[in-house]
């Protein structure tokens, strides 16, 4: 009993700090979401409106489109491609041919450049590259892939692939380098045993490499979903949620309602809904997917 009391006493300052640091903003945001607080009336405060902000949110005509953009393009597409490309690059850098040619170190250094580039700078660079008279259009026209320049960040057919491409350029290196670190922990004896058994390259990858990578893939996948779902920078700086509101996502909608329309109460309701969705996803992911996979792997 005394030992338990001692442990609780030692943990208490950290728990209080966590509650103040994370709990207070969450509860205050929840309180604001039930009011009609305006950015222009902060001193006066908002009036209690109950669930009106949430009802308005779910009855909006474009709410489904915003959810589709957030779930399908910003999260699912970017996370899936990020993991696949990161895995492919990591496996490539870990091959004997790359090591023999001494290209692995050069490639690792090259990967650090996009990874170390701040997202804001990455978006600005890509905006220049994707302009109608930019390098991308010029290259595609010289290769006779297109006959006319494309406004990548204004054309509805190209804008989402362009945003996802910018995200991948900036974030795939982290996934690749993390998976490469995991790959280098696989004992060499496993590969030698697989070769002696006559396993094909696919069988070696499927039954030797992939099981070792699964814990890292699961963690990186979960983190990528959180980073992507809540991301504001790439969409806002690349298109400003346009053309029109075609690329509007939940994160940009929070900004638009809070700091353009000055409706902090409504904006807080969107933020609370995002937190609930990500909290539910995290719990479901850990209970149904990650836990089972980790138990099978370990």
């Amino acid at each position: 009993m005394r030992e338990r009391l001692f442990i609780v006493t030692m943990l208490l300052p950290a728990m209080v700090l966590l509650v103040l640091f994370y709990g207070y903003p969450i509860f205050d945001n929840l309180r604001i979401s039930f009011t009609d607080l305006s950015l222009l009336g902060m001193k006066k405060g908002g009036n209690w409106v109950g669930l009106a902000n949430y009802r308005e949110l779910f009855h909006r005509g474009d709410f489904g489109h915003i959810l589709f953009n957030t779930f399908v393009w910003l999260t699912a597409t970017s996370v899936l491609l990020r993991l696949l490309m990161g895995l492919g690059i990591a496996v490539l850098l870990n091959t004997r041919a790359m090591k023999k040619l001494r290209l692995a170190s050069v490639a690792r250094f090259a990967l650090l450049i996009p990874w170390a580039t701040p997202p804001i700078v990455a978006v600005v660079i890509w905006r220049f590259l994707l302009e109608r008279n930019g390098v991308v259009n010029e290259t595609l026209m010289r290769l006779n892939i297109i006959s006319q320049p494309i406004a990548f960040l204004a054309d509805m057919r190209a804008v989402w692939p362009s945003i996802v491409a910018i995200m991948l350029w900036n974030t795939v290196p982290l996934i690749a380098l993390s998976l490469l670190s995991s790959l280098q922990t696989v004992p060499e004896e496993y590969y030698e045993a697989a070769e002696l058994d006559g396993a094909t390259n696919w069988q070696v990858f499927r039954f030797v490499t992939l099981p070792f990578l699964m814990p890292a893939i699961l963690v990186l996948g979960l983190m990528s979903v959180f980073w992507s779902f809540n991301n504001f920078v790439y969409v806002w700086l690349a298109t400003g949620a346009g053309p029109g509101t075609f690329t509007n996502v939940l994160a940009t909608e929070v900004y638009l309602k809070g700091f353009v329309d000055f409706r902090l109460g409504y904006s807080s309701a969107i933020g609370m809904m995002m937190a609930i969705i990500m909290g539910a996803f995290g719990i479901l992911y850990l209970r149904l997917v990650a836990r089972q996979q980790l138990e099978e792997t370990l």
Side-chain angles (χ1 to χ4, degrees), residues 134-156:
V135 174
V136 175
N137 267 313
E138 192 175 325
T139 304
L140 292 175
M141 290 180 70
R142 284 188 178 183
L143 294 173
N144 290 324
I145 296 174
I146 58 173
S147 56
Q148 295 290 329
I150 298 173
F152 285 99
L153 296 177
D155 189 320
M156 290 185 181

Side-chain angles (χ1 to χ4, degrees), residues 60 62 65-66 69 156 240-249 253 256:
R60 280 184 52 182
D62 61 347
H65 180 70
I66 294 173
N69 284 342
M156 290 185 181
T245 56
F246 184 73
T247 57
N248 198 13
V249 294
E253 182 69 359
L256 287 170

Side-chain angles (χ1 to χ4, degrees), residues 222 225-226 276-288 290:
L222 178 64
V225 167
F226 287 136
I276 291 169
I277 292 173
M278 279 297 93
F281 171 78
I283 293 170
L284 192 68
Y285 182 89
L286 289 172
R287 290 185 68 86
L288 299 182

Side-chain angles (χ1 to χ4, degrees), residues 164-262:
V164 172
I166 297 171
M167 294 175 69
L168 294 177
W169 182 83
N170 199 208
T171 56
V172 163
L174 173 62
I175 306 295
L177 292 173
S178 301
L179 293 178
L180 181 61
S181 300
S182 297
L183 270 175
Q184 291 172 345
T185 65
V186 181
E188 196 62 32
E189 294 81 8
Y190 284 40
Y191 291 117
E192 293 172 359
E195 281 185 7
L196 288 174
D197 289 340
T200 62
N201 289 335
W202 167 248
Q203 289 171 327
V204 171
F205 175 76
R206 170 70 181 82
F207 297 106
V208 178
T209 305
L210 196 56
F212 272 91
L213 291 181
M214 279 312 293
I217 290 173
L218 289 169
V219 173
L220 290 170
L222 178 64
M223 299 300 293
S224 293
V225 167
F226 287 136
W227 292 334
S228 301
F229 185 85
N230 295 319
N231 195 276
F232 167 80
V233 173
Y234 293 107
V235 173
W236 186 253
L237 293 181
T239 65
T245 56
F246 184 73
T247 57
N248 198 13
V249 294
L250 287 171
T252 51
E253 182 69 359
V254 169
Y255 176 81
L256 287 170
K257 293 303 174 189
F259 297 97
V260 176
D261 295 345
F262 307 134

Side-chain angles (χ1 to χ4, degrees), residues 105-124:
S105 300
V106 177
R108 274 200 294 266
F109 178 74
L111 281 174
L112 289 175
I113 296 172
W115 179 35
T117 304
I120 295 174
V121 178
V123 175
V124 171

Side-chain angles (χ1 to χ4, degrees), residues 21-36:
F21 195 73
Y22 292 105
Y24 175 74
I26 291 173
F27 284 112
D28 198 46
N29 192 62
L30 178 64
R31 180 189 63 78
I32 293 173
S33 73
F34 294 117
T35 70
D36 62 354

